[in-house]
């Protein structure tokens, strides 16, 4: 019996590597996730976990941190496990989530030596993430030289933004050398846009504000199916507060910290990326669910500040599009927290947003009240599926994947 053709999707972070395997159902052209998992705790006490399509645990293997396992050995372990486990499948391609495509790369990229060099050259734009993405591509190329690989970018969906959205009010030379707004979460916005427009084709030319609210959060203004503005900019720090990231901050604060507190680069980086956001304001947790389950006044403040800033940013997206025809919530918080959706929507009543309490609590696809001027939707995101679709489309041009 011939094997199923499957696509491996990798999302390599600083201390984790998430993976999924999508199987092509040949006749229908569908892609189904048959396996998901991750290696966490890389550099310390590493752990390998894998689940099947029904989220049943298939593997859970831990290493102690007395002698941390090198990243490459962990990847080899995961690939070997996948190979042994998926006896009916042949992995024919690998798609990678890559954070930065810079100014030039606006579409998924087939990996070869020149492509790896191009991704490497973008490390200065995303020093905390890009090196891990590139390392995973290199390692896979070494382990499976015959495997076709494709890089899919968080920035690419935003390449359609007009110059006004992309440009900082800095001297022209800096803009010309790439100090400008890029935007992130693009694979999520692309997937959510496709899903929404498939269900509501009448919005194809509409102005849609999408709130991707997860551990990392941002918003995107999508007009006629294309990104025209977004809240993250040069780095994934800008925009709304996140789990541990600060969101938009007066640059004067950085000057103050450097001048008055003699804080150096690494200390500031740690403060802005890992000690701010929901964690910094609450002093309790970066996890929205945890904060919503406590009565602590600082936890409440963190939640309120988050909702206030997201609502403000929705209005900014509406201004960028000169109007708004739909509001969408997605990602961990956006998909799972009716209370947060309600608190944000309440602040947008003046814009014509009204959420129906029962639909919101029931997490229906459309959660707006019957008389809401703006329809409001909850659309689950699936960045991994978007990557698998892109990967197979790059390798098999002309073949559609539902
Ligand atoms: P993500 O990065 O998209 O996986 O989202 C992670 C965030 O979603 C964390 O802050 C979680 O606390 C949050 N989250 C997941 N489920 C819920 C829930 N039921 N209520 C509130 N927040 C949630």
């Amino acid at each position: 019996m011939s094997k199923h053709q499957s696509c491996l999707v990798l999302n390599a972070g600083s201390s984790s590597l998430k993976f999924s395997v999508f199987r092509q159902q040949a006749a229908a052209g569908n892609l189904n996730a048959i396996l998901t998992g991750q290696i966490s705790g890389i550099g310390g006490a590493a752990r390998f976990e894998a689940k099947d399509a029904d989220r049943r645990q298939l593997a859970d293997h831990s290493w102690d941190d007395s002698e941390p396992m090198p990243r490459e050995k962990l990847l080899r372990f995961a690939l070997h496990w996948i190979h042994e486990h998926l006896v009916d499948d042949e992995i024919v391609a690998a798609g990678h989530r890559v954070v930065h495509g810079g100014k030039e790369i606006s579409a998924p990229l087939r990996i070869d030596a020149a492509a790896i060099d191009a991704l490497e050259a973008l490390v200065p734009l995303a020093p905390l993430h890009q090196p891990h993405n590139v390392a995973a591509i290199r390692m896979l190329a070494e382990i499976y030289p015959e495997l076709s690989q494709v890089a899919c970018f968080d920035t690419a969906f935003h390449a359609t933004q007009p110059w006004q959205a992309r440009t900082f009010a800095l001297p022209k030379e800096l803009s010309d050398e790439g100090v400008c707004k890029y935007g992130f979460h693009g694979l999520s916005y692309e997937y959510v846009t496709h899903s929404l427009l498939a269900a509501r084709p009448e919005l194809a030319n509409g102005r849609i504000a999408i709130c991707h609210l997860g551990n990392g959060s941002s918003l995107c203004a999508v007009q006629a199916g294309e990104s025209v503005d977004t809240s993250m900019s040069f780095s994934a720090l800008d925009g709304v507060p996140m789990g541990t990231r600060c969101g938009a901050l007066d640059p004067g604060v950085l000057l103050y910290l450097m001048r008055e507190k003699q804080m150096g680069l690494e200390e500031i980086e740690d403060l802005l990326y890992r000690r701010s956001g929901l964690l910094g304001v609450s002093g309790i947790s970066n996890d929205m669910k945890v904060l919503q389950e406590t009565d602590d006044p600082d936890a409440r403040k963190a939640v309120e500040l988050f909702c206030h800033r997201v609502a403000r940013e929705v209005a900014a997206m509406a201004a960028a599009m000169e109007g708004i025809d739909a509001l969408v919530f997605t990602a961990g918080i956006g998909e799972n927290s009716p209370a947060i959706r309600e608190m944000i929507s309440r602040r947008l009543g003046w814009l014509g947003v009204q959420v129906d309490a029962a639909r919101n609590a029931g997490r229906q696809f459309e959660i707006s009240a019957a008389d809401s001027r703006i329809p409001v939707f909850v659309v689950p995101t699936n960045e991994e599926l978007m990557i698998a679709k892109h990967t197979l489309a790059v390798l098999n041009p002309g073949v559609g994947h539902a």
Side-chain angles (χ1 to χ4, degrees):
M1 200 189 86
S2 69
K3 291 192 171 194
H4 297 283
Q5 306 237 304
S6 296
C7 176
L8 173 69
V9 171
L10 290 182
N11 179 358
S14 57
S15 64
S16 71
L17 191 149
K18 297 190 179 123
F19 62 87
S20 318
V21 177
F22 288 85
R23 179 184 284 171
Q24 285 178 274
Q25 305 297 106
N30 280 342
L31 283 170
N32 295 325
I34 53 169
L35 196 66
T36 60
Q38 65 169 352
I39 304 166
S40 54
I42 298 174
R47 183 173 180 190
F48 170 83
E49 293 164 276
K51 292 183 176 159
D52 68 9
D54 300 318
R55 317 282 307 153
R56 277 189 303 250
Q57 187 102 10
L58 297 173
D60 187 352
H61 187 95
S62 296
W63 292 265
D64 67 39
D65 59 356
S66 54
E67 205 178 315
M69 282 276 279
R71 195 175 277 269
E72 190 185 332
K73 276 203 169 154
L74 291 168
L75 179 62
R76 280 183 188 275
F77 179 93
L79 294 173
H80 183 71
W81 186 91
I82 292 169
H83 183 70
E84 294 282 291
H85 185 79
L86 293 181
V87 287
D88 296 333
D89 291 70
E90 184 192 1
I91 305 281
V92 294
H96 295 260
R97 181 175 179 183
V98 175
V99 67
H100 225 300
K103 273 188 163 174
E104 306 300 331
I105 308 174
S106 58
L109 184 66
R110 190 172 186 149
I111 295 296
D112 55 18
I116 294 182
D117 289 346
L119 300 186
E120 193 90 59
L122 295 168
V123 163
L125 292 178
L128 302 183
H129 297 98
Q130 192 90 347
H132 305 295
N133 304 153
V134 179
I137 293 172
R138 274 191 199 285
M139 281 189 275
L140 206 54
E142 272 171 36
I143 299 170
Y144 285 135
E146 304 304 322
L147 189 68
S148 300
Q149 300 194 65
V150 173
C152 302
F153 299 91
D154 271 322
T155 48
F157 185 64
H158 301 297
T160 46
Q161 293 188 356
W163 73 268
Q164 295 93 328
R166 293 190 77 99
T167 310
F168 294 135
L170 285 170
K172 189 175 173 315
E173 313 82 80
L174 281 171
S175 303
D176 290 347
E177 72 175 59
V179 183
C180 62
K181 178 153 141 180
Y182 294 95
F184 300 91
H185 291 139
L187 293 157
S188 172
Y189 291 126
E190 189 177 8
Y191 181 84
V192 168
T193 300
H194 289 180
S195 281
L196 178 68
L197 297 186
R200 289 285 192 277
E202 67 275 16
L203 286 169
N205 288 313
R207 297 160 297 182
I208 305 161
I210 305 177
C211 308
H212 175 109
L213 309 179
N215 205 19
S217 295
S218 71
L219 284 85
C220 185
V222 173
Q223 190 161 5
E226 293 188 341
S227 170
V228 295
D229 206 350
T230 188
S231 63
M232 278 183 175
S233 61
F234 180 70
S235 73
L237 279 178
D238 207 355
V240 296
M242 299 164 232
T244 60
R245 285 174 255 164
C246 58
L249 186 71
D250 176 357
V253 173
L254 306 186
L255 303 179
Y256 171 84
L257 295 176
M258 286 190 271
R259 185 177 291 121
E260 298 300 322
K261 295 194 175 285
Q262 284 80 47
M263 281 174 78
L265 170 70
E266 280 171 14
E267 226 180 328
I268 291 184
E269 197 164 79
D270 186 50
L271 173 77
L272 304 183
Y273 276 95
R274 291 181 273 275
R275 295 199 286 121
S276 299
L278 296 175
L279 174 66
V281 177
S282 69
I284 295 175
S285 176
N286 65 328
D287 189 318
M288 183 58 96
K289 194 159 186 282
V290 171
L291 296 181
Q292 288 188 273
E293 285 165 355
T294 142
D295 282 336
D296 183 278
D298 288 332
R300 279 173 185 274
K301 265 191 171 173
V303 173
E304 280 200 17
L305 180 59
F306 178 81
C307 294
H308 168 77
R309 293 276 292 272
V310 172
R312 251 178 116 224
E313 213 61 50
V314 172
M317 295 301 116
M321 299 184 285
E322 299 184 24
I324 175 169
D325 302 310
L327 176 64
V328 178
F329 291 100
T330 192
I333 301 171
E335 292 169 31
N336 296 307
S337 178
I340 298 290
R341 292 195 296 261
E342 204 276 328
M343 285 170 76
I344 294 167
S345 301
R346 202 169 355 105
R347 287 169 162 80
L348 295 168
W350 61 275
L351 204 53
V353 172
Q354 274 192 51
V355 156
D356 178 86
R359 285 184 192 165
N360 186 31
R363 194 207 196 267
Q364 296 194 4
F365 169 63
E366 186 163 356
I367 59 167
S368 35
D371 56 351
S372 180
R373 200 174 66 71
I374 312 287
V376 184
F377 301 94
V378 179
V379 181
T381 192
N382 194 337
E383 289 152 303
E384 290 76 20
L385 178 54
M386 197 72 239
I387 294 169
K389 284 184 179 186
H390 277 315
T391 300
L392 294 171
V394 167
L395 300 175
N396 311 298
V399 180
H401 292 283

